Amino acid sequence: MRYGLRLWADNALTLWGVLVPVAVAAELVAAIATIASAPAGSTVLNGTILVPPGSSTGAVATARLFADVVSALVGVLGIGVALRIFSEAALGRTVRAGAALRFGLARFGSLLWLAILAGLVTAVGFLALILPGIYLIVALSVASPVVVIEGHRGIVAIQRSRSLVKGRWWATLGALLPTMLLVGAGAIVVETTLRVSGSVSGFALAQALGVVVLQALLVPLTTATAVAIYLDLHARKEPGRRVAASTPHVDLAAPPTAPPPSTGDIWWS
């Protein structure tokens, strides 16, 4: 967990140089769509758009769905960008913002497909019983690094993540939990702040700002932690094994600058 936070902190400026402009541009488009869809005389009460009597809410609902889809797609792109930056940093190398963005775009389809599959599998786990869903969240936590670093996709990436986490599930949960709680608390604060009342334009712009904060500041924390956990699990389970990386710039045969071997004073180790 500490190593993941350090990865995030040391590379935040590079990350923001990519994510902030992309997220701002995308969320402005979504905000404009929301503002344009609201009939004249619409207002916002506690984060809910209220249209005048007799006006249709269909256009507003479509615009909000569009905004949610845009945010989700930008989030997937942000994960790809962050994974590239953090993976390179873990190996003692730096990557330019433009190169990270191109890499994120190149891996966008694979990461989107993984997000859909992982979401479906986890949802089924929660529908069956709560505990299987929790198990799957942790078991699939390094699937995204597997896609970017090893080049596996879809079900193969999910199976690979489960294989790496097997036998280290509780330790993985312990490393993930503080970051997940931090991000969750931040998301609640942002969501609470967005429950504003007033004009539609003010609400749409405030929501756009909140999403940018989540995507550029908070969500990359979990990505950095996932990279750190992946490196630890790989080093423990497959020491010396050369990974067929999805990019020649990510080679785990090189000595990583990951946390040092256990000294007995860190519970995660």
Side-chain angles (χ1 to χ4, degrees):
M1 181 197 69
R2 288 196 298 270
Y3 183 58
L5 290 174
R6 190 164 76 245
L7 275 178
W8 175 85
D10 291 346
N11 298 277
L13 291 179
T14 302
L15 188 68
W16 294 340
V18 181
L19 294 188
V20 171
V22 172
V24 167
E27 292 307 318
L28 281 178
V29 171
I32 291 172
T34 298
I35 295 169
S37 69
S42 297
T43 59
V44 177
L45 179 63
N46 293 328
T48 301
I49 298 177
L50 303 177
V51 302
S55 300
S56 173
T57 61
V60 174
T62 301
R64 301 310 304 145
L65 177 61
F66 171 75
D68 291 340
V69 171
V70 167
S71 298
L73 294 179
V74 172
V76 172
L77 175 62
I79 290 174
V81 170
L83 284 169
R84 175 64 188 273
I85 292 174
F86 296 144
S87 297
E88 292 286 347
L91 299 175
R93 298 192 286 262
T94 58
V95 58
R96 294 182 180 274
L101 178 58
R102 289 191 296 271
F103 184 88
L105 289 171
R107 298 296 184 273
F108 179 82
S110 297
L111 290 171
L112 178 60
W113 178 232
L114 175 66
I116 293 172
L117 287 177
L120 290 174
V121 170
T122 304
V124 170
F126 275 106
L127 288 175
L129 286 172
I130 299 298
L131 291 179
I134 296 174
Y135 164 79
L136 288 169
I137 287 177
V138 178
L140 306 185
S141 60
V142 296
S144 293
V146 165
V147 169
V148 170
I149 296 176
E150 299 188 16
H152 297 307
R153 300 181 180 182
I155 295 297
V156 176
I158 288 175
Q159 293 172 337
R160 171 67 171 158
S161 178
R162 288 191 61 195
S163 175
L164 286 170
V165 174
K166 185 177 181 181
R168 297 287 298 172
W169 190 92
W170 286 105
T172 302
L173 173 64
L176 283 174
L177 193 58
T179 304
M180 293 173 64
L181 291 176
L182 178 61
V183 173
I188 291 174
V189 170
V190 171
E191 180 65 25
T192 302
T193 304
L194 293 178
R195 293 189 176 278
V196 299
S197 299
S199 67
V200 175
S201 58
F203 166 72
L205 292 174
Q207 188 170 59
L209 177 61
V211 174
V212 170
V213 170
L214 286 173
Q215 291 180 339
L217 182 63
L218 294 177
V219 173
L221 282 171
T222 58
T223 306
T225 303
V227 170
I229 293 172
Y230 169 84
L231 292 173
D232 180 89
L233 293 174
H234 182 273
R236 289 174 182 277
K237 294 198 168 187
E238 299 170 349
R241 176 177 179 266
R242 186 183 182 90
V243 174
S246 61
T247 167
H249 299 292
V250 180
D251 180 8
L252 292 185
T257 56
S262 172
T263 57
D265 59 345
I266 302 175
W267 74 269
W268 154 247
S269 297

